[in-house]
Amino acid sequence: MKALLASLLRRPSAPDPKVVLQAGFEALARGDFAAALTNSERLRRAGSRAAAAFLASFVAGQEAKPAERLGLLREARAVDPDEPAYAIELAQALAESGALAEAVAILDPVMRSAHAAAGDAQLLFKLAGWRFDTGDREAARNDLERVLKLAPDFAEAAANLSEILYRDGEIEEARRVLRPPGTRRVSATTLRRAFTIAAAYRSTAQIDEVRDELRRDLDELEAAPPLLVKPEAEVGRTPFYLAYHGLDDKADLQRIARIVRNGYRAARNARAAGPAGRARVRIGLVSAYFYAHSVGRAFLRLVEGLPRERFEVILYAAPVAGPTPDDALARAFRATADRFEVLAPDVEAAAAAIARAELDLLLYPDLGMDPFTWFLAFWRLAPLQCACAGHPSTTGIDTIDCYLSDALAEPEDGEAHYAERLVRVEDFFLAVADLPAVRTRPRAAGKRYVCTQTVMKLHPDFDKTLGEILARDADGEVLLFGDSVPRINRLVGERLAGTLGSAMERVRLLPRMDYARYLDTVHDAAVILDTPHFGGGNTTMEALALGVPVLTLPGRFLRSRYAYARLRTLEIDECIAADQVDYVDRAVAIANSARLRDDIVARLRERVPARLDAARPVAAFARALAELASGRC
């Protein structure tokens, strides 16, 4: 008996799992992975299998073994499913592996429990991000609202919540979130708030109110320009929607650009290296849309047609959310470039990459649409930097030297609309790459007035015009294309109903549809109604290629004169109105006179193939770039 007792006393006592686990994490913090694994093994021998796997998972994470880490965390949670720490780490590991739906399913119960982790704003912010990425925007919105209750100064959560509200058309709420009550500090978030601009409006008076509010924001920002370090993330927006207001944007865009310039110190001091001596002109183009996008479709032929004996062409693709596009147009862009480079998702790194190329000329086809390229344009990366009509508006940015535009589309006083030097290029227009062929089937019966823009582009000024067309043509109907944001459809629908009254019964709001059905709808139109203030670009070319009359009323700015220029090229003057009354007269006449419409259609089918062929604008584009690069333009 004495010997047995002595043996038991010599045998080590069972370790305290908490002490061993603590020792393991201390070893991990020192970088002593072997000691951490030794403690994990001690826990496993002592029967604490879940704690052992949990500790070992951190070692696997430090050693960059994600599959092993995930397996160990699954083991820990399987053994002890009620321990929140295991659920939290497993959810994060799953999210890192791309299994977001499973990560949400595991973390959600923890964040709705009474556990202390439910009050962790950072963890709740992660959950909101996973929900958003799985398409559950409503739950993400609810989580972000909780985050801001827990941490009112959580700027990234406010920005993400604002973005959800913005995409849902809740503009006033999106702005409010970016400046909660009592907050007065001017920051990059203030600039983001200034750029939170609606796409559709109840009235022209509301547009004026929005512009006044913007100018108040700019007054505040001018008085204390915010420091911008990574504005592509901190601000994440551009003042793009100003172009839809039908107003002169030059002064406001110049003010905005000055504010960014004063706060964006890294870009302020950038200088381009001088080009090295070489036989070919080296040109870079930067866009987020080198794929099957309206911009990509409009520029592919222009880029393909640059003569390679004269030009070396480098395409810089701005980073996009999700996988890099790989459609037919994206592959065509990659094939035609001398070099195709996807930029790093950091403007400063992207600027350094472009500067190393020692370009002769840097062209932004669509400046103002994408935040990444817009902020990149504040850097001086080439001796000559130009914008082009992919976004038909001035930039206001002092490092953009020239704006290349369609000479026929520009009004006589066009120079006054640009902060850049306006370069009017004769015979130049955006040559859409994949125009449809004329349909052989007969047009469907009925007098359909079709507007090919989404209802977002329907300026309140256009409502009365639609009403007068329907009043003049009792059998006519107006077809509009709905927006992807239901709130915009409701707003515009309610606005139109208030203007049109009972005639609203003859307005059809079409749901989003595939491209083939869209073209069929255009083909069946009696006449296409070009929108005022911001007209159709690609959509105009598509309709004309199909042989469908497009009616336009040219406005003050390039963005409302694209259809006018193409109709002038085709010498279809019957489709160019002098004023709003004339617009209504011509719309009703074309829809109701088979003879007039058939005559226009016949001339379109005869003239479009030759006069809107890509060869002319391609040659004009190449000529303009060569003259700009040589300093002769």
Side-chain angles (χ1 to χ4, degrees):
M1 180 63 69
K2 287 182 179 181
L4 179 58
L5 286 172
S7 174
L8 288 170
L9 289 171
R10 285 195 301 272
R11 187 178 300 169
S13 59
D16 183 341
K18 292 182 180 178
V19 173
V20 177
L21 189 63
Q22 179 66 30
F25 278 112
E26 289 172 357
L28 194 68
R30 295 193 305 271
D32 189 347
F33 298 165
L37 288 174
T38 297
N39 282 287
S40 171
E41 188 56 34
R42 287 180 65 198
L43 287 166
R44 193 173 290 277
R45 287 198 304 269
S48 298
R49 183 178 151 203
F54 186 63
L55 177 57
S57 76
F58 284 87
V59 177
Q62 291 292 319
E63 293 180 339
K65 299 175 180 177
E68 183 178 328
R69 176 177 178 243
L70 190 56
L72 288 164
L73 287 168
R74 285 191 186 280
E75 179 187 354
R77 187 163 184 269
V79 172
D80 189 354
D82 296 325
E83 172 52 58
Y86 302 159
I88 291 167
E89 286 301 321
L90 175 57
Q92 295 191 98
L94 286 164
E96 289 164 10
S97 73
L100 296 180
E102 188 179 359
V104 167
I106 288 172
L107 185 57
D108 178 68
V110 176
M111 304 311 291
R112 288 189 288 105
S113 71
H115 191 271
D120 186 330
Q122 192 66 242
L123 193 57
L124 189 57
F125 176 72
K126 287 183 180 181
L127 177 60
W130 302 342
R131 288 196 205 269
F132 184 84
D133 289 343
T134 57
D136 193 349
R137 283 165 58 165
E138 189 61 34
R141 172 176 172 168
N142 293 337
D143 286 342
L144 289 168
E145 288 171 348
R146 280 182 60 198
V147 169
L148 291 173
K149 287 179 181 177
L150 293 168
D153 294 330
F154 199 146
E156 195 174 356
N160 288 7
L161 177 56
S162 175
E163 189 65 23
I164 291 174
L165 294 164
Y166 186 58
R167 293 187 189 188
D168 288 342
E170 298 183 43
I171 306 301
E172 293 174 5
E173 276 298 294
R175 288 176 58 82
R176 182 195 62 76
V177 163
L178 293 172
R179 178 177 284 173
T183 303
R184 300 301 307 166
R185 184 170 62 88
V186 177
S187 66
T189 301
T190 313
L191 190 58
R192 186 185 187 98
R193 182 176 182 271
F195 292 173
T196 303
I197 300 166
Y201 298 90
R202 293 185 297 274
S203 63
T204 52
Q206 189 189 17
I207 291 175
D208 293 338
E209 292 168 6
V210 166
R211 295 297 275 237
D212 289 343
E213 192 167 11
L214 169 70
R215 287 161 188 158
R216 287 192 293 272
D217 286 340
L218 297 183
D219 289 342
E220 185 177 4
L221 287 157
E222 279 185 327
L227 177 64
L228 302 173
V229 179
K230 292 188 179 298
E232 68 274 22
E234 298 163 335
V235 180
R237 291 192 188 128
T238 76
F240 171 77
Y241 285 121
L242 292 182
Y244 286 15
H245 291 176
L247 303 171
D248 190 343
D249 300 327
K250 178 180 173 182
D252 287 329
L253 290 171
Q254 285 181 304
R255 286 186 74 192
I256 288 167
R258 284 196 299 271
I259 289 164
V260 173
R261 173 68 64 214
N262 289 335
Y264 197 6
R265 295 176 184 172
R268 193 190 313 170
N269 301 319
R271 292 291 181 271
R278 48 184 169 251
R280 295 189 294 168
V281 175
R282 182 173 292 170
I283 291 180
L285 289 88
V286 185
S287 178
Y289 308 111
F290 290 133
Y291 60 94
H293 179 278
S294 59
V295 170
R297 294 176 64 213
F299 277 86
L300 176 61
R301 293 288 177 258
L302 299 174
V303 175
E304 285 181 331
L306 291 173
R308 292 309 191 266
E309 69 276 7
R310 181 184 296 180
F311 297 103
E312 179 186 356
V313 179
I314 305 174
L315 299 183
Y316 295 101
V320 297
T324 301
D326 189 33
D327 54 47
L329 259 71
R331 293 190 290 274
F333 274 114
R334 289 198 292 270
T336 195
D338 290 283
R339 191 166 90 228
F340 187 96
E341 183 174 336
V342 178
L343 294 170
D346 175 273
V347 165
E348 192 162 351
I354 295 172
R356 284 194 294 271
E358 297 185 340
L359 301 170
D360 295 290
L361 186 151
L362 180 60
L363 178 69
Y364 292 90
D366 48 79
L367 201 49
M369 294 178 65
D370 172 66
F372 190 95
T373 58
W374 193 75
F375 286 107
L376 185 64
F378 284 85
W379 295 72
R380 172 58 70 179
L381 305 176
L384 187 63
Q385 301 190 152
C386 305
C388 199
H391 178 50
S393 182
T394 185
T395 71
I397 301 172
D398 57 8
T399 39
I400 300 300
D401 307 299
C402 300
Y403 190 97
L404 276 68
S405 188
D406 179 341
L408 187 57
E410 286 289 348
E412 289 185 9
D413 63 343
E415 282 78 5
H417 304 154
Y418 295 91
E420 310 80 10
R421 180 160 58 93
L422 175 61
V423 179
R424 297 172 184 261
V425 184
E426 299 291 342
D427 291 328
F428 170 67
F429 55 86
L430 302 183
V432 179
D434 50 353
L435 286 176
V438 172
R439 297 294 202 260
T440 55
R441 70 169 175 80
R443 183 171 69 89
K447 291 180 289 184
R448 297 174 177 173
Y449 300 86
V450 176
C451 179
T452 53
Q453 309 304 310
T454 67
V455 293
M456 178 182 72
K457 282 191 179 180
L458 264 62
H459 192 282
D461 286 349
F462 198 43
D463 298 1
K464 183 181 177 183
T465 303
L466 294 177
E468 290 180 359
I469 290 171
L470 291 170
R472 291 272 301 277
D473 189 346
D475 298 322
E477 62 174 345
V478 170
L479 272 59
L480 306 174
F481 286 94
D483 196 84
S484 59
V485 179
R487 192 181 182 94
I488 289 178
N489 294 331
R490 288 195 301 272
L491 184 154
V492 176
E494 290 167 2
R495 191 189 78 205
L496 283 170
T499 302
L500 303 183
S502 60
M504 189 66 185
E505 296 173 1
R506 289 184 284 132
V507 175
R508 288 172 53 197
L509 185 63
L510 302 176
R512 294 180 71 82
M513 59 184 65
D514 62 39
Y515 188 54
R517 285 185 61 206
Y518 163 78
L519 292 178
D520 285 341
T521 304
V522 173
H523 168 78
D524 289 338
V527 60
I528 299 297
L529 302 177
D530 192 36
T531 46
H533 303 312
F534 202 123
N538 287 34
T539 55
T540 294
M541 292 286 281
E542 288 163 344
L544 295 174
L546 288 170
V548 181
V550 176
L551 178 66
T552 191
L553 173 58
R556 293 175 57 201
F557 308 107
L558 171 66
R559 53 190 177 268
S560 66
R561 298 173 66 86
Y562 188 80
Y564 159 80
R566 302 292 70 76
L567 290 164
R568 282 282 310 279
T569 300
L570 296 167
E571 296 182 88
I572 309 291
D573 294 339
E574 297 92 332
C575 289
I576 301 173
D579 53 35
Q580 191 258 350
V581 173
D582 189 36
Y583 185 98
V584 174
D585 289 343
R586 290 173 186 265
V588 174
I590 294 169
N592 285 273
S593 171
R595 182 174 180 179
L596 174 58
R597 187 184 185 281
D598 289 347
D599 179 57
I600 293 171
V601 169
R603 282 181 283 149
L604 285 173
R605 293 186 177 186
E606 174 194 350
R607 297 172 186 176
V608 165
R611 300 193 189 187
L612 297 189
D613 181 72
R616 285 175 48 245
V618 164
F621 184 62
R623 185 170 59 250
L625 292 182
E627 291 177 352
L628 281 168
S630 67
R632 294 197 308 273
C633 192

